[in-house]
Amino acid sequence: NFLTKTILGKLDIEKCLTSVSTGGSTLLGYIGIDTIIEQMRKKTMKTGFDFNIMVVGHSGLGKSTLVNTLFKSQVSRRSAGWARDEKIPKTVEIKSVSHVIEEGGVKMKLTLVDTPGFGDQINNDNCWEPISKFINEQYEKFLKEEVNITRKKRIPDTRVHCCLYFISPTGHSLRQLDIEFMKRLSHSVNIIPIIAKADTMTTEERQEFKQRVRKELEMSGIEFYPQKEFDDDMEDKSDNDKIREAMPFAVVGSDKEYQVNGKRVLGRKTAWGVVEVENPNHCEFAQLRDFLIRSHLQDLKEVTHNIHYETYRAKRLNENGGLHPISSSDTQESNL
């Protein structure tokens, strides 16, 4: 599960075991090395986790509803006091809202980053720039904290771990804006493309559209998460190949419940019946949820830190000949 993966990610157990066996050391009795996992589990449960997710796509694609459905709570910006008569902004805005959610004793600080105004203008040239700027600003904040002489015990992590990119269910092809956005940002953030409001297409139309989107992404040289080059081993490659073949996930979101065959289910009611959100025969929401939260959440955080952030960090250090340690007062000024 997520907690176990976190612990194993921090502690390279395989290397430790290899060093013991290759060194020829044989344990004469029980020491208790294996309890390190439980020690780390307890400590991790006390501190909790950060997970920062960005949603991008033009208005009307159900971004807020899908996020609420994913986390089974009212976590979107709309749910946190968003006015329904709010006008579409003339430029792309970046708005964040954070919640602490808890399950099974595990706390997670979830931050949702919304991008109202994206793709909603007559002229959408360069509308990805404010988003790219925001992502890099979070890397810069983390970097400045790292080079402080007196560092915080735990650096606040506002870096975007995942960007859900909502594709309109046209059934035809990607818009040029879709291609431009993913091409420009795929090297700085983990992009997961999803087809929104999949219930507007038939099963056959959905499959054809998914194949067309995959082909267009490949032809444009866009690598979405999980990237092939970051597969750790053959087991990872096998698991991730299945996910890559299923993407982009065609999803439906809903925070409303209906009675179906004596059970309460999340769904969207139509004239023909209820589209069940978590029914794999109706849409691929369950696959997206399992992938995003239950199997790859920790990996999303690790790829953000070890690949995207390290790339930004190396570039910044090369540009400046190394960042000099800064005082806490300098950090406060930079955050104003």
Side-chain angles (χ1 to χ4, degrees):
N1 62 23
F2 169 56
L3 190 55
T4 305
K5 284 194 172 189
T6 304
I7 294 165
L8 291 176
K10 292 179 178 177
L11 179 69
D12 200 335
I13 297 296
E14 289 184 13
K15 287 181 182 175
C16 293
L17 293 175
T18 303
S19 65
V20 171
S21 60
T22 54
S25 301
T26 303
L27 302 180
L28 300 177
Y30 179 70
I31 299 174
I33 297 171
D34 56 348
T35 63
I36 189 68
I37 301 295
E38 180 60 19
Q39 293 171 44
M40 295 182 76
R41 187 187 74 84
K42 286 180 179 178
K43 193 167 184 178
T44 309
M45 286 185 74
K46 283 181 184 176
T47 56
F49 304 92
D50 294 309
F51 187 54
N52 309 318
I53 183 170
M54 174 182 273
V55 290
V56 180
H58 67 76
S59 60
L61 289 179
K63 299 186 293 295
S64 298
T65 303
L66 184 76
V67 169
N68 288 341
T69 313
L70 271 172
F71 295 98
K72 293 194 173 180
S73 53
Q74 300 296 309
V75 295
S76 72
R77 188 174 62 88
R78 281 191 178 215
S79 308
W82 181 85
R84 291 213 168 266
D85 58 351
E86 182 181 52
K87 294 179 181 177
I88 293 173
K90 293 182 180 179
T91 58
V92 177
E93 296 178 356
I94 311 291
K95 297 191 176 182
S96 302
V97 60
S98 296
H99 303 268
V100 175
I101 56 180
E102 185 174 352
E103 184 179 47
V106 180
K107 290 180 182 177
M108 180 170 74
K109 183 186 176 185
L110 175 70
T111 299
L112 271 298
V113 184
D114 198 0
T115 55
F118 177 86
D120 292 326
Q121 316 307 320
I122 295 173
N123 182 355
N124 289 301
D125 289 350
N126 303 324
C127 67
W128 55 80
E129 286 182 353
I131 298 171
S132 178
K133 182 171 178 277
F134 176 84
I135 290 168
N136 287 330
E137 281 173 351
Q138 309 321 303
Y139 291 145
E140 185 69 16
K141 278 184 189 177
F142 199 89
L143 179 58
K144 285 183 175 178
E145 288 287 354
E146 274 196 331
V147 299
N148 270 337
I149 294 172
T150 53
R151 292 202 297 186
K152 294 176 181 175
K153 187 177 179 182
R154 190 178 180 211
I155 298 175
D157 190 3
T158 60
R159 297 169 298 180
V160 178
H161 300 126
C162 166
C163 173
L164 289 180
Y165 188 81
F166 286 66
I167 297 168
S168 184
T170 62
H172 303 298
S173 61
L174 291 172
R175 298 178 302 166
Q176 189 58 38
L177 176 59
D178 300 330
I179 293 169
E180 280 296 322
F181 176 88
M182 287 188 271
K183 186 182 285 186
R184 288 174 183 272
L185 273 78
S186 61
H187 296 295
S188 59
V189 69
N190 295 315
I191 292 180
I192 298 177
I194 57 177
I195 297 170
K197 295 193 172 181
D199 54 330
T200 60
M201 296 184 285
T202 65
T203 306
E204 292 77 17
E205 288 171 342
R206 193 171 74 193
Q207 283 306 115
E208 286 176 13
F209 188 46
K210 278 162 64 81
Q211 289 173 8
R212 198 173 298 125
V213 168
R214 276 200 301 270
K215 190 173 181 181
E216 286 185 61
L217 290 172
E218 187 180 341
M219 289 175 65
S220 301
I222 297 167
E223 279 210 10
F224 49 82
Y225 179 86
Q227 301 91 330
K228 291 180 182 178
E229 60 188 299
F230 304 147
D231 291 340
D232 289 332
D233 49 41
M234 290 307 294
E235 185 183 355
D236 261 7
K237 184 180 184 303
S238 175
D239 292 342
N240 288 339
D241 277 345
K242 291 174 186 174
I243 292 166
R244 285 186 281 260
E245 287 167 11
M247 291 175 78
F249 297 118
V251 299
V252 176
S254 174
D255 46 15
K256 292 182 179 178
E257 285 190 338
Y258 295 95
Q259 193 86 11
V260 177
N261 298 326
K263 292 192 302 181
R264 300 291 293 175
V265 298
L266 288 170
R268 278 167 55 87
K269 194 167 188 179
T270 69
W272 302 274
V274 175
V275 179
E276 297 173 42
V277 167
E278 297 179 283
N279 186 335
N281 295 319
H282 291 191
C283 75
E284 294 166 339
F285 170 83
Q287 280 179 272
L288 171 66
R289 180 202 57 210
D290 291 353
F291 162 61
L292 184 65
I293 300 170
R294 301 181 184 181
S295 67
H296 282 67
L297 192 153
Q298 177 60 20
D299 190 64
L300 282 161
K301 287 166 65 72
E302 287 179 5
V303 171
T304 298
H305 182 74
N306 298 329
I307 307 296
H308 298 309
Y309 170 66
E310 280 300 315
T311 301
Y312 177 86
R313 179 177 172 275
K315 184 182 175 186
R316 284 284 284 116
L317 294 178
N318 284 331
E319 283 173 355
N320 293 335
L323 281 177
H324 299 292
I326 54 179
S327 67
S328 57
S329 60
D330 292 331
T331 307
Q332 288 170 2
E333 287 175 14
S334 68
N335 289 335
L336 292 176

